[in-house]
Amino acid sequence: MPKAKTDAQPGANSTGSPAEDQDFVLRSLQEAHAADRRYKASKEELLKLYEQMLLIRRFEEKAGQLYGLGLIGGFCHLYIGQEAVAVGLQSALDGNKDSVITGYRDHGHMLAYGIDPKVIMAELTGRHSGISKGKGGSMHMFSVEHRFYGGHGIVGAQVSLGTGLAFAHKYREDGGVAMAYFGDGAANQGQVYESFNMAALWNLPIIFVIENNQYAMGTAVARSSAETHFYRRGTAFRIPGMQVDGMDVLEVRKAAEVALEHVRGGNGPVLMELNTYRYRGHSMSDPAKYRSREEVQGVRDKRDPIEHAKAELMEMGLDEAELKAIDKRVRAQVAESADFAENSPEPDMSELYTDVLVERY
């Protein structure tokens, strides 16, 4: 187990010692981000990010259609509007050693990690060919091969589990960083702060990512949170925070690089707040009557991450015909994943007794 810090920290428990150095550390990442907000992407790089975001958008639209047809059951939380967060952050990770864990709005994260849309859609429809053999469904997808550790239905539970992943990275000295996603609603859960404390105390390599989509399950941030600047939530644990525009994929990517450099340097955890917006309700069963259609349309018209990237690509010389060809290709890929899912068999009844435990006893 990593040793706990025993020396008194300047400005914390010691008397008369200035706290300026520590306060600077808490501010330094935000200041570095503010000084250089956006990743300078080539046309090829931005095109790849754009296509990944478009894949998530079209996939989630198709998932919504299949849910309406009764082919997807249970809860289903769509990622429409938040695509720049997962794509921007995960494009900066090292897929060979870093690990990711998230809550139940997980389809977008898996697609951003390059996992085959067919096995994700098959999982959504409860088929044996799904990534969790059809037994996890929308909220509980998992891929050890891709170091993606779920999809978790219990609000905030993934934050503690992500802290455990970071502990494993440090214990094994494998150079990996854990990234734990959670929402503005989950940010008020008690285990989140227990996890912050342990991560800071043991100097763990983890980035805590708050996807602030403004409404949690249906309550506006200002009505449920005393501190609405979530990036400040780690201050009591000496965890530096960053506030990022989660609707701009290049700003997200640049912020990710700043955070990863800090954590990989052995400096302990970072808390990132990504301000984003979900266009659909909390889940497919949520009519989202707590906000106006005009508000949602306003975000679509002025801040949509895909349209923003599309406009930049056109400024770089990509024409409308090329962009339409990409959309057509992505739509075909999504349609193929839906056909694959619909034509795949459901799990055999014997699967009820498998995957209960990791090992046999």
Side-chain angles (χ1 to χ4, degrees), residues 39-98:
Y39 179 71
K40 296 172 179 60
S42 65
K43 184 169 74 171
E44 291 71 25
E45 287 176 310
L46 183 56
L47 190 60
K48 182 178 180 181
L49 298 174
Y50 170 77
E51 191 164 339
Q52 285 180 299
M53 290 193 293
L54 192 62
L55 173 61
I56 294 171
R57 177 73 57 91
R58 298 295 179 241
F59 182 96
E60 295 289 67
E61 289 170 347
K62 176 62 75 173
Q65 291 172 10
L66 296 184
Y67 190 94
L69 293 170
L71 293 170
I72 296 174
F75 291 103
C76 184
H77 307 81
L78 302 181
Y79 204 63
I80 296 173
Q82 300 182 212
E83 297 90 352
V85 176
V87 171
L89 289 176
Q90 290 175 217
S91 66
L93 294 179
D94 185 332
N96 293 317
K97 59 185 180 183
D98 296 334

Coordinates of all heavy atoms in Angstrom, one line a residue, residues 39-98:
Y39 N -6.6 22.7 -28.4 CA -5.6 21.9 -29.1 C -5.5 22.3 -30.6 O -6.5 22.5 -31.3 CB -6.1 20.4 -29.0 CG -5.2 19.4 -29.7 CD1 -4.0 19.1 -29.2 CD2 -5.6 18.8 -30.9 CE1 -3.1 18.2 -29.8 CE2 -4.8 17.8 -31.5 CZ -3.6 17.5 -31.0 OH -2.8 16.6 -31.6
K40 N -4.3 22.4 -31.1 CA -4.1 22.8 -32.4 C -4.1 21.6 -33.3 O -3.0 21.0 -33.6 CB -2.8 23.6 -32.5 CG -2.8 24.9 -31.8 CD -1.5 25.6 -31.7 CE -1.6 27.0 -30.9 NZ -2.0 26.8 -29.5
A41 N -5.2 21.2 -33.8 CA -5.4 20.0 -34.6 C -5.2 20.3 -36.1 O -5.5 21.3 -36.6 CB -6.8 19.5 -34.4
S42 N -4.6 19.3 -36.7 CA -4.5 19.3 -38.2 C -5.9 19.0 -38.7 O -6.8 18.5 -38.0 CB -3.5 18.3 -38.7 OG -3.9 17.0 -38.4
K43 N -6.0 19.1 -40.0 CA -7.3 18.8 -40.6 C -7.6 17.3 -40.4 O -8.8 17.0 -40.2 CB -7.3 19.2 -42.1 CG -8.7 18.9 -42.8 CD -8.7 19.6 -44.2 CE -7.9 18.7 -45.2 NZ -8.1 19.2 -46.6
E44 N -6.6 16.5 -40.6 CA -6.8 15.0 -40.4 C -7.2 14.7 -39.0 O -8.1 13.8 -38.8 CB -5.5 14.3 -40.8 CG -5.2 14.3 -42.3 CD -4.7 15.7 -42.8 OE1 -4.2 16.5 -41.9 OE2 -4.8 16.0 -44.0
E45 N -6.6 15.3 -38.0 CA -6.9 15.0 -36.6 C -8.4 15.5 -36.3 O -9.1 14.7 -35.7 CB -5.9 15.8 -35.7 CG -4.6 15.1 -35.7 CD -3.6 16.0 -34.8 OE1 -3.5 17.2 -35.0 OE2 -2.9 15.4 -33.9
L46 N -8.7 16.7 -36.7 CA -10.1 17.2 -36.4 C -11.1 16.4 -37.2 O -12.2 16.1 -36.6 CB -10.2 18.7 -36.9 CG -11.5 19.3 -36.5 CD1 -11.9 19.2 -35.1 CD2 -11.5 20.8 -37.0
L47 N -10.8 15.9 -38.4 CA -11.7 15.1 -39.1 C -12.0 13.8 -38.4 O -13.1 13.3 -38.3 CB -11.1 14.8 -40.5 CG -12.0 14.1 -41.5 CD1 -13.3 15.0 -41.8 CD2 -11.3 13.8 -42.8
K48 N -10.9 13.2 -37.8 CA -11.1 11.9 -37.0 C -12.0 12.2 -35.8 O -12.9 11.4 -35.5 CB -9.8 11.4 -36.6 CG -9.9 10.1 -35.8 CD -8.5 9.5 -35.5 CE -8.6 8.2 -34.7 NZ -7.3 7.7 -34.3
L49 N -11.8 13.3 -35.1 CA -12.6 13.6 -33.9 C -14.0 13.9 -34.3 O -15.0 13.4 -33.6 CB -12.0 14.8 -33.2 CG -10.6 14.7 -32.6 CD1 -10.1 16.0 -32.1 CD2 -10.5 13.6 -31.5
Y50 N -14.2 14.6 -35.4 CA -15.5 14.9 -35.9 C -16.3 13.6 -36.3 O -17.4 13.4 -35.9 CB -15.4 15.7 -37.2 CG -16.7 15.9 -38.0 CD1 -17.7 16.8 -37.5 CD2 -16.9 15.2 -39.1 CE1 -18.9 17.0 -38.2 CE2 -18.1 15.3 -39.8 CZ -19.1 16.2 -39.4 OH -20.3 16.4 -40.1
E51 N -15.6 12.7 -36.9 CA -16.2 11.4 -37.3 C -16.6 10.6 -36.1 O -17.7 9.9 -36.1 CB -15.3 10.6 -38.3 CG -16.0 9.4 -38.9 CD -15.3 8.9 -40.1 OE1 -14.5 9.6 -40.7 OE2 -15.6 7.7 -40.5
Q52 N -15.8 10.6 -35.1 CA -16.1 9.9 -33.8 C -17.3 10.4 -33.1 O -18.2 9.7 -32.7 CB -14.9 9.9 -32.9 CG -13.7 9.0 -33.2 CD -12.6 9.1 -32.2 OE1 -12.0 10.2 -32.0 NE2 -12.3 8.0 -31.6
M53 N -17.4 11.8 -33.1 CA -18.6 12.4 -32.5 C -19.8 12.1 -33.3 O -20.9 11.9 -32.7 CB -18.3 13.9 -32.4 CG -17.3 14.4 -31.4 SD -17.4 16.1 -31.0 CE -16.8 16.8 -32.5
L54 N -19.7 12.2 -34.6 CA -20.8 11.9 -35.5 C -21.3 10.4 -35.3 O -22.5 10.2 -35.3 CB -20.4 12.2 -36.9 CG -21.6 12.2 -37.9 CD1 -22.6 13.3 -37.6 CD2 -21.1 12.4 -39.4
L55 N -20.4 9.5 -35.2 CA -20.7 8.1 -34.9 C -21.6 8.0 -33.6 O -22.6 7.3 -33.6 CB -19.5 7.2 -34.9 CG -19.7 5.8 -34.5 CD1 -20.6 5.1 -35.5 CD2 -18.4 5.0 -34.4
I56 N -21.1 8.6 -32.6 CA -21.9 8.6 -31.3 C -23.3 9.1 -31.5 O -24.3 8.6 -31.1 CB -21.1 9.3 -30.2 CG1 -19.8 8.6 -29.9 CG2 -22.0 9.4 -29.0 CD1 -18.9 9.4 -28.9
R57 N -23.4 10.3 -32.2 CA -24.7 11.0 -32.4 C -25.6 10.0 -33.2 O -26.8 9.8 -32.8 CB -24.5 12.3 -33.1 CG -25.7 13.1 -33.5 CD -26.4 13.7 -32.3 NE -25.5 14.6 -31.6 CZ -25.4 15.9 -31.8 NH1 -26.0 16.5 -32.8 NH2 -24.6 16.7 -31.0
R58 N -25.1 9.5 -34.3 CA -26.0 8.7 -35.1 C -26.3 7.3 -34.5 O -27.5 6.8 -34.6 CB -25.3 8.4 -36.5 CG -25.1 9.7 -37.3 CD -26.4 10.3 -37.7 NE -26.1 11.6 -38.5 CZ -26.5 12.8 -38.1 NH1 -27.2 12.9 -37.0 NH2 -26.2 13.8 -38.8
F59 N -25.4 6.8 -33.7 CA -25.6 5.6 -33.0 C -26.7 5.8 -31.9 O -27.6 4.9 -31.8 CB -24.3 5.1 -32.3 CG -24.4 3.8 -31.6 CD1 -24.1 2.6 -32.2 CD2 -24.9 3.7 -30.3 CE1 -24.2 1.4 -31.5 CE2 -25.0 2.5 -29.6 CZ -24.6 1.4 -30.2
E60 N -26.6 6.8 -31.2 CA -27.6 7.1 -30.1 C -28.9 7.4 -30.7 O -30.0 7.0 -30.1 CB -27.1 8.2 -29.2 CG -25.8 7.9 -28.5 CD -26.0 6.9 -27.3 OE1 -26.3 5.7 -27.7 OE2 -25.9 7.3 -26.2
E61 N -29.0 8.1 -31.8 CA -30.3 8.3 -32.5 C -30.9 7.0 -32.9 O -32.1 6.8 -32.7 CB -30.1 9.2 -33.7 CG -29.7 10.7 -33.4 CD -29.3 11.5 -34.6 OE1 -29.0 10.9 -35.6 OE2 -29.3 12.7 -34.4
K62 N -30.1 6.1 -33.4 CA -30.6 4.8 -33.8 C -31.1 4.0 -32.5 O -32.1 3.3 -32.6 CB -29.6 4.0 -34.6 CG -30.0 2.5 -34.9 CD -31.2 2.5 -35.8 CE -30.9 2.9 -37.2 NZ -32.0 2.6 -38.2
A63 N -30.3 4.1 -31.5 CA -30.7 3.4 -30.2 C -32.0 3.9 -29.7 O -32.9 3.1 -29.2 CB -29.6 3.6 -29.2
G64 N -32.3 5.2 -29.9 CA -33.5 5.8 -29.5 C -34.7 5.2 -30.3 O -35.8 4.9 -29.8
Q65 N -34.4 5.0 -31.6 CA -35.4 4.4 -32.5 C -35.7 3.0 -32.1 O -36.9 2.6 -32.0 CB -35.0 4.5 -33.9 CG -34.9 5.9 -34.5 CD -34.2 5.9 -35.9 OE1 -34.0 4.9 -36.5 NE2 -33.9 7.1 -36.4
L66 N -34.7 2.2 -31.8 CA -34.9 0.8 -31.4 C -35.6 0.7 -30.1 O -36.4 -0.2 -29.9 CB -33.6 0.1 -31.4 CG -32.8 0.0 -32.7 CD1 -31.5 -0.9 -32.5 CD2 -33.7 -0.6 -33.8
Y67 N -35.3 1.6 -29.2 CA -36.1 1.6 -27.9 C -37.5 1.9 -28.1 O -38.4 1.2 -27.5 CB -35.5 2.7 -27.0 CG -36.0 2.7 -25.6 CD1 -35.3 2.0 -24.6 CD2 -37.2 3.3 -25.2 CE1 -35.7 1.9 -23.3 CE2 -37.6 3.2 -23.9 CZ -36.9 2.5 -23.0 OH -37.4 2.5 -21.7
G68 N -37.9 2.8 -29.0 CA -39.3 3.1 -29.3 C -40.0 1.9 -30.0 O -41.2 1.8 -29.8
L69 N -39.2 1.1 -30.7 CA -39.8 -0.1 -31.3 C -39.9 -1.3 -30.3 O -40.4 -2.4 -30.7 CB -38.9 -0.5 -32.5 CG -39.0 0.5 -33.7 CD1 -37.9 0.1 -34.7 CD2 -40.4 0.5 -34.3
G70 N -39.4 -1.1 -29.1 CA -39.4 -2.2 -28.1 C -38.3 -3.2 -28.2 O -38.3 -4.2 -27.6
L71 N -37.3 -2.9 -29.1 CA -36.1 -3.8 -29.2 C -35.1 -3.6 -28.1 O -34.2 -4.4 -28.0 CB -35.5 -3.6 -30.6 CG -36.4 -4.1 -31.8 CD1 -35.8 -3.6 -33.1 CD2 -36.6 -5.6 -31.7
I72 N -35.1 -2.5 -27.4 CA -34.3 -2.2 -26.3 C -35.2 -2.1 -25.1 O -36.1 -1.3 -25.1 CB -33.4 -1.0 -26.5 CG1 -32.4 -1.2 -27.6 CG2 -32.6 -0.6 -25.2 CD1 -31.6 0.1 -28.0
G73 N -34.9 -2.8 -24.0 CA -35.8 -2.7 -22.8 C -35.0 -2.1 -21.7 O -33.8 -1.8 -21.7
G74 N -35.7 -1.9 -20.6 CA -35.1 -1.3 -19.4 C -34.8 0.1 -19.6 O -35.4 0.8 -20.3
F75 N -33.8 0.6 -18.8 CA -33.3 2.0 -18.9 C -32.4 2.2 -20.1 O -31.6 1.3 -20.4 CB -32.6 2.4 -17.6 CG -33.6 2.5 -16.4 CD1 -33.6 1.5 -15.5 CD2 -34.4 3.6 -16.3 CE1 -34.4 1.6 -14.4 CE2 -35.2 3.7 -15.2 CZ -35.3 2.7 -14.2
C76 N -32.4 3.3 -20.6 CA -31.5 3.7 -21.8 C -31.2 5.2 -21.7 O -32.1 6.0 -21.9 CB -32.1 3.3 -23.1 SG -31.1 3.5 -24.5
H77 N -30.0 5.5 -21.4 CA -29.6 6.9 -21.3 C -28.7 7.3 -22.4 O -27.6 6.8 -22.6 CB -28.8 7.1 -19.9 CG -29.5 6.6 -18.7 ND1 -29.5 5.2 -18.4 CD2 -30.2 7.2 -17.8 CE1 -30.2 5.0 -17.3 NE2 -30.6 6.2 -16.9
L78 N -29.2 8.2 -23.2 CA -28.5 8.6 -24.5 C -27.5 9.7 -24.2 O -27.6 10.5 -23.3 CB -29.5 9.0 -25.5 CG -30.5 7.9 -25.9 CD1 -31.4 8.5 -27.0 CD2 -29.8 6.6 -26.3
Y79 N -26.4 9.8 -25.0 CA -25.3 10.7 -24.9 C -25.4 11.9 -25.8 O -24.4 12.6 -26.0 CB -24.0 9.9 -25.1 CG -22.8 10.5 -24.5 CD1 -22.7 10.6 -23.1 CD2 -21.7 10.9 -25.2 CE1 -21.5 11.1 -22.5 CE2 -20.5 11.4 -24.7 CZ -20.5 11.5 -23.3 OH -19.3 12.0 -22.7
I80 N -26.5 12.0 -26.5 CA -26.7 13.1 -27.5 C -26.4 14.5 -26.9 O -27.1 14.9 -26.0 CB -28.0 13.0 -28.2 CG1 -28.1 11.6 -28.9 CG2 -28.2 14.1 -29.2 CD1 -29.5 11.3 -29.5
G81 N -25.5 15.2 -27.5 CA -25.1 16.5 -27.0 C -23.8 16.6 -26.3 O -23.1 17.6 -26.2
Q82 N -23.4 15.4 -25.7 CA -22.2 15.4 -24.9 C -21.0 14.7 -25.6 O -20.0 14.5 -24.9 CB -22.5 14.6 -23.6 CG -23.6 15.2 -22.7 CD -23.9 14.5 -21.4 OE1 -25.0 14.4 -21.0 NE2 -22.9 13.9 -20.8
E83 N -21.1 14.6 -26.9 CA -20.1 13.8 -27.6 C -18.7 14.3 -27.5 O -17.7 13.6 -27.4 CB -20.5 13.7 -29.1 CG -21.8 13.0 -29.4 CD -23.0 14.0 -29.4 OE1 -22.8 15.1 -29.0 OE2 -24.1 13.5 -29.8
A84 N -18.5 15.6 -27.4 CA -17.2 16.2 -27.3 C -16.4 15.8 -26.1 O -15.2 15.8 -26.1 CB -17.2 17.7 -27.4
V85 N -17.1 15.5 -25.0 CA -16.4 15.2 -23.8 C -15.7 13.9 -23.9 O -14.5 13.8 -23.7 CB -17.5 15.1 -22.6 CG1 -16.8 14.6 -21.3 CG2 -18.1 16.4 -22.3
A86 N -16.4 12.8 -24.2 CA -15.8 11.5 -24.3 C -14.7 11.5 -25.4 O -13.6 10.9 -25.3 CB -16.8 10.4 -24.6
V87 N -15.0 12.0 -26.6 CA -14.1 12.0 -27.7 C -12.8 12.8 -27.4 O -11.7 12.4 -27.6 CB -14.8 12.5 -29.0 CG1 -13.7 12.7 -30.1 CG2 -15.8 11.5 -29.4
G88 N -13.0 14.0 -26.9 CA -11.9 14.9 -26.6 C -11.0 14.3 -25.5 O -9.7 14.3 -25.6
L89 N -11.6 13.8 -24.4 CA -10.7 13.2 -23.4 C -10.1 11.9 -23.8 O -8.9 11.7 -23.6 CB -11.6 13.0 -22.1 CG -12.1 14.2 -21.4 CD1 -13.0 13.8 -20.2 CD2 -10.9 15.0 -20.8
Q90 N -10.8 11.0 -24.3 CA -10.3 9.7 -24.6 C -9.3 9.7 -25.8 O -8.5 8.7 -25.9 CB -11.4 8.7 -24.7 CG -12.1 8.5 -23.4 CD -13.3 7.6 -23.4 OE1 -14.2 7.8 -22.6 NE2 -13.3 6.5 -24.2
S91 N -9.4 10.7 -26.6 CA -8.4 10.8 -27.7 C -7.0 11.1 -27.1 O -6.0 10.9 -27.8 CB -8.8 11.8 -28.7 OG -8.7 13.1 -28.1
A92 N -6.9 11.6 -25.9 CA -5.6 11.9 -25.3 C -5.1 10.8 -24.4 O -3.9 10.8 -24.0 CB -5.8 13.2 -24.4
L93 N -5.9 9.7 -24.2 CA -5.5 8.6 -23.3 C -4.6 7.6 -24.1 O -4.6 7.6 -25.3 CB -6.7 7.9 -22.7 CG -7.6 8.7 -21.8 CD1 -8.7 7.8 -21.3 CD2 -6.8 9.1 -20.6
D94 N -3.8 6.9 -23.3 CA -3.0 5.8 -23.9 C -3.8 4.5 -23.7 O -4.0 4.0 -22.6 CB -1.7 5.7 -23.1 CG -0.7 4.7 -23.7 OD1 -1.2 3.7 -24.3 OD2 0.5 4.8 -23.6
G95 N -4.4 4.0 -24.8 CA -5.2 2.8 -24.8 C -4.5 1.5 -24.3 O -5.1 0.6 -24.0
N96 N -3.2 1.6 -24.3 CA -2.4 0.4 -23.9 C -2.2 0.3 -22.4 O -1.9 -0.8 -21.9 CB -1.0 0.4 -24.6 CG -1.2 0.2 -26.1 OD1 -1.9 -0.7 -26.5 ND2 -0.4 0.9 -26.8
K97 N -2.4 1.4 -21.6 CA -2.2 1.3 -20.2 C -3.2 2.1 -19.3 O -3.3 1.8 -18.1 CB -0.8 1.8 -19.9 CG -0.4 3.2 -20.3 CD 1.0 3.5 -20.0 CE 1.4 4.9 -20.4 NZ 2.9 5.2 -20.2
D98 N -3.9 3.1 -19.9 CA -4.8 3.8 -19.1 C -6.2 3.1 -19.0 O -6.5 2.3 -19.8 CB -5.1 5.2 -19.7 CG -3.8 6.1 -19.7 OD1 -3.0 5.9 -18.9 OD2 -3.7 6.9 -20.6

